[in-house]
């Protein structure tokens, strides 16, 4: 598939002015395809000029330009060349399109709980031509008039306000100018909850089998929606302008959510089935606030080309946590940002495929897609926090308002945003932007106590910042330092530090700290280097540190230590065993095992891994014993216990729905965790899996059954699972992911070694039928990371020398290979 070049997009935008789209979709023609009729009105600024149309159809029935027919055989791949264009043009295309199974384009899913079908449009980044003929680039915005024919028991939602004009016929009101990748249509027998806020009709929608869960959870969803509306309206000074506001929780969604104006789509795992915690609700609330911020920043003002789209995500990521902290009950949102989002971004920064936040000029759309990662989201949001520290919040908000007002319903570039900030602050930000946004890499921050007053007490400290040798930069860091003894904060100080310029911090101290933490409030983006005394004290003292952000910083430093092979993974495991069961933040408690689990297991010898799992099961049991039955902490602990214990009696009871902890009695996911663990241990098989599946005939149950069957330690199970993943079996994006997570198990290394070479042969070929967005995730999950050997690394290097890898597969391999190298370095240094 040809990816749109930046130069092509620039030339087409210079030639054309698109004034409107009229799109009709007929979704009542079968389960495999739908009919699409597109009418595009546009003008050609240079009559006689040539350009091309984007179209990815199964069959093209007719094409006319100003009523003159164009032969469909002129289509080359996804492009139709248009020549000798008149000044005013009306182009119409009638075509048959295919529903997708990979989450891109118009995705169709079946809920086996009731046999009902659901459709949703996800047109990011370049999937719009799979739905309608268009000029597919972000800076050719235009209004849309959309009509839809659908089965009579379906509802239809989209960017415009929906009206049912007759049975099975729907019209969406004319939209504001939209980029092609924001267009969506959601259709199916969705169930809905409606409300209104300040004159804006609100709708929340989900598939019918989740109706009970929606009714119970909709009040909270609507509450945070209204709180976010109010906060943004006050902050931005520009009203929401997209009519009704619908939030549709759709099945098999590749991302967390998509900011389609007026009709945001979310993964439907955010409508929780079974047990869930406040932390889960906070994550969903953050996503709601994030997508709503895009209504202004991204939708109303759209970046001109994909390489600036990081700014949309960085801004929405920052705003979502700011909004939760300022306008909702979730005052702990910045703790969540630190332990969840920043650690994701730190992981990306550690890989060879890291890039500057402002990632440089992407030559084509496909390469730009590779930069939507933890740098674009978490690092960008962290940098915006540093910008506010540099120019002040008042100037920041004034700059946002000016930027939105100047480019309302149009396109802009990063330079326009930076210019608005310079004008509002009266500060030249070019050097700041060069250091923070245009240079990749993480500085390393350390602190030492160096002066005592006449009474022998510490009176100052020195903060040092080291810039990466291969990516030097002169970044200002606004950081604080804190020291802790027991549960007391015995030392505090704050400074601005620069690379290569040690900064003296005047500290307020009341004692000698056991744990000394630079960047203790987690305000900057940096690697933290803990002094040896602090490292040694962590098993006994980390749990008593009273500040949540400081504990987040320490856990991040330990994870970095494992990645860089500078800290023995066994020491990190000891810290986990002593500190984690006593953790007081639910967010940290729930997140740390996910972050530390795979890196620690892969960095120790195979014969040590079962002992580490047993220790984690013991830690989970400690938390269960320590907390009130049914508490959120107990739910987190029970899930970890089910994934790590070797107590087969307990696992069998839980898989049967017996003896379950309070609050999990009707939770299907805990039963799946238990039976899957039994399968991994060789203590259960298809009969036990089918028994659980019989009680959970839902989309989630179907996927969990696939994962459990792929987890079996037998040649037959692995052969079946690999065939299901890597051959064109019609599996959806989610089914592929669940099969992959079951396939690779660290305890099954000998069984899996033959699949190392097969990964490098079979997975790249999947590009023929799996879209890049979905394929990158599949390629990540199917990488043979449990086989931590030099031979696996050599096989990865040989594959990366190929020239036929798609960008998604190459990115996944590069990053996974670097994690493999981390584990090998750690084994070499510490395994003896």
């Amino acid at each position: 598939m040809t990816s749109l070049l930046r130069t092509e997009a620039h030339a087409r935008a210079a030639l054309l002015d698109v004034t409107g789209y009229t799109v009709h979709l007929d979704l009542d023609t079968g389960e495999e395809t739908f009919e699409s009729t597109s009418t595009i009105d546009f003008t050609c600024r240079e009559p006689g000029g040539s350009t091309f149309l984007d179209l990815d159809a199964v069959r093209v029935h007719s094409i006319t330009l100003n009523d003159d027919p164009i032969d469909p055989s002129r289509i080359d791949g996804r492009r139709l060349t248009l020549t000798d264009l008149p000044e005013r043009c009306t182009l119409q295309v009638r075509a048959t399109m295919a529903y997708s199974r990979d989450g891109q384009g118009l995705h169709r899913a079946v809920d086996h709980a009731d046999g009902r079908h659901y459709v949703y449009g996800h047109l990011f980044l370049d999937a719009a031509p799979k739905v309608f003929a268009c000029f597919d680039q972000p800076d050719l915005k235009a209004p849309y008039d959309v009509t839809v024919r659908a089965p009579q028991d379906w509802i239809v939602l989209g960017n415009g306000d929906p009206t049912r004009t007759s049975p099975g016929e729907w019209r969406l009101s004319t939209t504001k100018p939209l980029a092609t990748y924001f267009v969506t249509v959601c259709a199916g027998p969705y169930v809905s909850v409606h409300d209104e806020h300040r004159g804006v009709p609100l709708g929340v929608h989900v598939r019918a089998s989740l109706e009970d869960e929606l009714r119970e959870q909709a009040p909270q969803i609507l509450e945070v929606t209204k709180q976010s509306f109010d906060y943004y309206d006050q902050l931005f000074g520009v009203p929401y302008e997209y009519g009704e506001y619908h939030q549709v929780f759709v099945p098999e969604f590749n991302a967390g959510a998509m900011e389609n104006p007026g009709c945001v789509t979310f993964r439907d795992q955010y409508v929780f089935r079974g047990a869930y915690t406040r932390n889960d609700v906070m994550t969903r609330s953050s996503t709601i606030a994030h997508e709503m911020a895009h209504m202004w920043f991204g939708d109303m003002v759209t970046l001109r080309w994909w390489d600036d789209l990081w700014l949309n995500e960085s801004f929405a990521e920052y705003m979502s946590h700011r909004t939760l902290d300022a306008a909702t009950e979730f005052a702990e949102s910045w703790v969540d940002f630190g332990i969840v989002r920043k650690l994701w971004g730190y992981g990306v920064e550690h890989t060879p495929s890291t890039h500057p936040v402002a990632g440089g000029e992407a030559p084509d759309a496909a390469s730009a897609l590779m930069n939507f990662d933890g740098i674009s989201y978490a690092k960008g949001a962290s940098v915006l926090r540093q910008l506010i520290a540099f120019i002040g919040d008042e100037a920041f908000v004034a700059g946002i308002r000016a930027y939105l007002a100047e480019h309302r319903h149009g396109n802009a570039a990063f330079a326009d945003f930076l210019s608005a900030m310079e004008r509002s602050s009266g500060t030249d930000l070019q050097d700041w932007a060069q250091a923070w946004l245009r240079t990749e890499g993480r500085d390393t921050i350390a602190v030492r106590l160096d002066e005592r007053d006449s009474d022998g007490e510490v009176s100052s400290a020195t903060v040092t910042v080291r810039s990466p040798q291969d990516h030097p930069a002169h970044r200002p860091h606004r950081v604080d330092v804190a020291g802790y003894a027991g549960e007391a904060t015995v030392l505090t100080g704050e400074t601005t530090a620069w690379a290569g310029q040690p900064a003296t911090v005047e500290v307020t101290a009341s004692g000698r700290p056991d744990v000394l933490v630079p960047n203790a409030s987690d305000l900057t983006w940096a690697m933290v280097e803990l002094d040896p005394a602090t490292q040694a004290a962590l098993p006994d003292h980390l749990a008593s540190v009273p500040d949540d952000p400081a504990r987040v910083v320490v856990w991040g430093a330990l994870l970095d230590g494992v990645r860089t092979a500078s800290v023995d993974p066994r020491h990190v495991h000891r810290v986990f065993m002593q500190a984690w069961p006593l953790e007081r933040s639910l967010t940290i408690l729930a997140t740390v095992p996910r972050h530390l689990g795979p890196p620690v297991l892969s960095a120790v010898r195979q014969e040590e891994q079962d002992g580490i799992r047993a220790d984690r099961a013991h830690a989970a049991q400690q938390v269960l014993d320590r907390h009130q039955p049914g508490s959120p902490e107990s739910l987190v602990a029970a899930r970890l216990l089910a994934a790590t214990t070797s107590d087969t009696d307990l696992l069998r009871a839980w898989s049967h729905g017996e003896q379950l902890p309070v609050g999990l009695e009707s939770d299907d996911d805990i039963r799946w965790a238990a039976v899957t663990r039994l399968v991994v241990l060789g203590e259960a098989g298809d009969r036990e899996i089918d028994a659980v599946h019989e009680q959970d005939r839902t989309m989630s149950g179907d996927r969990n059954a696939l994962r459990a069957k792929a987890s079996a330690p037998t040649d037959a199970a692995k052969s079946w699972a690999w065939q299901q993943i890597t051959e064109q079996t019609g599996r959806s994006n989610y089914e592929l992911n669940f099969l992959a997570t079951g396939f690779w198990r660290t305890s099954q290394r000998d069984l899996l070694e033959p699949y190392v070479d097969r990964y490098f042969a079979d997975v790249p070929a999947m590009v023929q039928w799996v879209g890049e967005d979905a394929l990158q995730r599949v390629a990540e999950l199917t990488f043979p990371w449990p086989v931590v050997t030099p031979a696996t690394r050599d096989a990865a290097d040989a594959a990366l020398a190929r020239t036929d890898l798609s960008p998604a597969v190459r990115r996944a391999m590069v990053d996974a290979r670097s994690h493999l190298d981390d584990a090998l370095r750690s084994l070499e240094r510490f395994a003896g």
Side-chain angles (χ1 to χ4, degrees):
M1 182 182 73
T2 302
S3 181
L4 179 67
L5 298 175
R6 181 192 185 103
T7 51
E8 293 173 323
H10 180 76
R12 189 160 63 175
L15 182 68
L16 304 183
D17 180 21
V18 183
T19 54
Y21 283 86
T22 302
V23 177
H24 177 71
L25 303 177
D26 188 344
L27 309 183
D28 198 17
T29 60
E31 298 178 7
E32 302 297 326
T33 62
F34 61 96
E35 299 302 309
S36 171
T37 301
S38 314
T39 303
I40 315 171
D41 293 309
F42 63 98
T43 59
C44 178
R45 296 188 181 95
E46 298 176 12
S50 300
T51 187
F52 59 91
L53 178 78
D54 300 300
L55 176 62
D56 190 357
V58 175
R59 292 182 300 277
V60 178
H61 305 296
S62 66
I63 307 171
T64 61
L65 177 62
N66 292 349
D67 296 325
D68 294 327
I70 296 176
D71 186 351
S73 66
R74 288 172 50 185
I75 297 172
D76 183 10
R78 293 187 5 145
R79 293 183 174 184
L80 170 66
T81 300
L82 302 171
T83 59
D84 196 22
L85 289 170
E87 180 180 2
R88 296 188 178 277
C89 304
T90 296
L91 180 69
Q92 186 177 82
V93 178
R94 291 180 52 251
T96 298
M97 306 294 204
Y99 290 112
S100 82
R101 293 285 282 148
D102 62 5
Q104 296 170 251
L106 205 59
H107 183 95
R108 187 171 183 132
V110 183
D111 186 350
H112 291 130
D114 53 20
R116 296 179 178 182
H117 289 236
Y118 296 87
V119 167
Y120 67 86
H122 183 60
L123 275 50
F124 180 82
L125 175 140
D126 57 358
K130 295 176 180 287
V131 180
F132 58 92
C134 57
F135 299 113
D136 189 27
Q137 60 190 72
D139 59 345
L140 285 176
K141 298 173 73 172
Y144 283 77
D145 286 283
V146 177
T147 54
V148 180
R149 180 173 180 265
Q152 292 187 20
D153 62 335
W154 287 16
I155 68 168
V156 173
L157 302 161
N159 306 102
D161 298 349
T163 301
R164 191 196 306 260
T165 56
S166 63
E169 302 287 343
W170 295 77
R171 178 177 299 279
L172 306 179
S173 64
T174 304
T175 71
K176 298 289 185 182
L178 304 180
T180 47
Y181 76 97
F182 287 138
V183 177
T184 193
V185 167
C186 300
Y190 289 97
V191 294
S192 309
V193 172
H194 295 280
D195 202 345
E196 185 174 309
H197 184 61
R198 298 175 62 181
V200 178
L202 306 176
V204 183
H205 316 269
V206 74
R207 52 191 163 94
S209 63
L210 290 173
E211 181 174 6
D212 291 344
E213 289 83 354
L214 175 65
R215 302 294 175 196
E216 186 265 324
Q217 297 170 44
Q220 192 279 330
I221 293 172
L222 290 166
E223 177 186 38
V224 76
T225 299
K226 296 173 185 178
Q227 290 168 329
S228 300
F229 259 127
D230 290 344
Y231 188 73
Y232 294 144
D233 185 62
Q234 175 273 325
L235 192 71
F236 299 150
V238 177
Y240 169 77
E241 295 187 335
Y242 294 104
E244 299 179 10
Y245 192 74
H246 295 278
Q247 297 176 101
V248 191
F249 293 81
V250 300
E252 300 182 338
F253 198 67
N254 279 333
M258 179 64 195
E259 63 270 21
N260 314 301
C263 188
V264 179
T265 45
F266 298 83
R267 59 169 58 204
D268 64 7
Q269 290 96 321
Y270 282 137
V271 178
F272 310 117
R273 66 175 208 153
Y276 60 93
T277 69
R278 172 186 171 87
N279 203 59
D280 298 321
V281 176
M282 178 171 61
T283 299
R284 179 177 67 198
S285 299
S286 177
T287 306
I288 289 170
H290 177 112
E291 302 310 322
M292 189 181 293
H294 279 310
M295 296 299 117
W296 288 265
F297 212 100
D299 295 2
M300 183 180 293
V301 180
T302 305
L303 277 305
R304 194 166 291 124
W305 178 244
W306 299 115
D307 52 19
D308 273 340
L309 212 63
W310 65 269
L311 184 56
N312 285 354
E313 300 306 338
S314 299
F315 181 83
E317 183 80 2
Y318 166 75
M319 286 308 310
S320 67
H321 291 87
R322 174 174 175 148
T323 302
L324 259 60
D325 180 60
T328 76
E329 64 178 290
F330 299 107
E332 69 272 35
S333 64
W334 285 115
V335 175
D336 175 75
F337 176 74
I339 196 67
V340 177
R341 307 298 282 179
K342 283 184 80 171
L343 293 196
W344 167 42
Y346 285 170
V348 177
E349 189 86 282
H350 179 68
T351 64
S353 57
T354 188
H355 54 87
V357 177
E361 292 193 357
D364 57 41
S367 61
L369 179 62
M370 296 303 100
N371 287 342
F372 286 88
D373 53 25
I375 301 296
S376 305
Y377 287 76
K379 183 175 183 180
S382 298
V383 169
L384 288 179
R385 295 183 83 186
Q386 285 293 303
L387 174 62
I388 293 168
F390 194 65
I391 67 173
D393 192 64
E394 185 176 342
F396 177 73
V397 172
I400 292 170
R401 291 185 170 196
Y403 172 83
L404 293 175
E406 183 176 355
H407 303 285
R408 195 170 180 173
H409 295 302
N411 293 87
F414 169 55
D416 299 311
F417 174 82
L418 195 65
S419 175
M421 291 296 158
E422 289 181 323
R423 293 194 305 270
S424 67
S425 66
T427 304
D428 186 335
L429 295 174
Q430 296 304 314
D431 289 344
W432 181 93
Q434 179 64 34
W436 272 114
L437 296 171
R438 298 192 180 102
T439 307
E440 64 196 69
R442 253 195 309 167
D443 294 341
T444 299
I445 295 179
V447 61
R448 72 169 188 270
L449 307 180
D450 51 15
E451 287 191 17
R452 297 171 181 270
D453 61 20
S454 58
D455 296 324
E457 296 294 334
V458 175
S459 60
S460 68
T462 298
V463 172
T464 58
V465 178
R466 298 196 309 274
S467 186
Q469 290 185 354
D470 48 348
H471 302 292
H474 194 56
R475 301 183 184 94
H477 294 269
R478 191 64 186 168
V479 297
D480 62 346
V481 175
Y484 307 94
E487 295 193 357
T489 303
V490 297
L491 183 147
T492 59
E494 189 174 334
T495 190
T496 297
W498 303 71
Q501 298 177 6
T504 299
V505 187
E506 299 298 324
V507 299
T508 300
S510 59
R512 192 76 180 178
D514 297 309
V515 175
L516 181 63
V517 184
N519 192 31
S521 295
D522 200 20
L523 295 179
T524 195
W525 179 270
M527 187 178 296
V528 165
E529 186 176 276
L530 301 174
D531 65 276
T534 293
Q535 285 277 13
L538 290 178
D540 296 322
H541 294 281
L542 176 56
S544 62
V545 170
D547 298 330
D548 292 354
R551 297 197 308 282
V552 166
V553 168
V554 170
W555 284 116
L558 290 171
L559 181 58
D560 278 330
V562 174
R563 287 174 175 148
T564 59
S566 60
V567 177
D568 191 331
R570 295 156 193 80
H571 176 69
V572 176
H573 179 60
R574 285 192 293 273
V575 177
F576 176 85
M577 290 302 299
Q578 291 182 234
W580 181 79
L582 302 176
E583 178 55 55
R584 65 198 76 181
S585 163
L586 178 63
T587 300
I588 299 174
L589 187 80
T591 306
V592 164
R594 297 202 302 267
H595 279 304
L596 289 182
V600 169
L601 278 176
S602 63
V604 300
R605 293 172 298 182
Q606 191 171 14
E607 54 267 32
E608 297 177 273
Q609 292 175 5
D610 285 343
I612 287 176
R613 288 191 196 91
D615 286 346
R616 289 179 179 169
H618 177 67
Q621 187 64 58
Q622 285 181 281
V623 176
L624 269 175
D625 295 342
R626 181 168 176 260
H627 288 276
Q628 184 77 18
S631 65
E633 292 81 3
S634 71
L635 301 183
V636 168
R639 297 195 190 285
L640 179 60
L641 182 60
T644 54
T645 186
S646 297
D647 184 341
T648 55
D649 290 337
L650 175 70
L651 291 170
R652 284 195 184 93
W654 284 13
S655 71
H656 295 150
E658 301 168 356
Q659 303 174 31
L660 286 165
V662 173
L664 290 169
E665 297 91 345
S666 60
D667 186 89
D668 288 319
D669 290 338
I670 196 71
R671 296 184 64 205
W672 279 115
V675 76
T676 302
R677 179 64 178 151
L678 282 170
V679 170
V680 171
L681 293 170
E683 297 290 336
D686 285 353
R687 181 170 61 87
E688 291 83 0
I689 295 169
D690 292 342
V692 178
H693 195 193
E694 186 62 33
Q695 301 300 314
D696 184 21
R697 288 292 181 182
T698 64
M699 296 185 81
S700 182
D702 295 345
R703 296 190 293 257
N704 277 313
L706 290 174
R707 176 162 56 192
K709 291 185 176 184
S711 301
T714 67
D715 287 326
K718 297 306 180 187
S719 177
W720 169 82
W722 194 252
Q723 179 262 336
Q724 293 296 306
I725 295 169
T726 60
E727 296 183 14
Q728 198 166 354
T729 56
R731 292 290 185 187
S732 73
N733 50 337
Y734 270 44
E735 289 172 331
L736 294 174
N737 293 344
F738 272 70
L739 284 161
T741 56
F743 186 86
W744 293 105
R745 298 284 179 176
T746 55
S747 59
Q748 300 168 356
R749 176 169 151 178
D750 293 343
L751 188 65
L752 294 169
E753 283 188 341
Y755 289 91
V756 172
D757 289 337
R758 293 187 65 177
Y759 167 86
F760 295 107
D762 296 346
V763 171
M766 294 172 66
V767 73
Q768 300 300 320
W769 65 89
V770 180
E772 288 281 277
D773 197 12
L775 184 57
Q776 182 172 349
R777 183 63 174 154
V778 173
E780 290 169 357
L781 293 174
T782 51
F783 188 89
W785 65 270
V787 187
V788 183
T789 65
T792 304
R793 178 175 57 194
D794 293 343
D797 289 342
L800 289 169
R802 293 165 50 179
T803 59
D804 62 337
L805 298 181
S806 77
V809 171
R810 180 172 295 279
R811 169 69 183 265
M813 282 189 187
V814 165
D815 290 353
R817 189 251 185 241
S818 75
H819 298 321
L820 177 70
D821 214 33
D822 294 342
L824 287 169
R825 283 199 308 272
S826 187
L827 284 167
E828 182 179 353
R829 180 171 182 185
F830 297 114

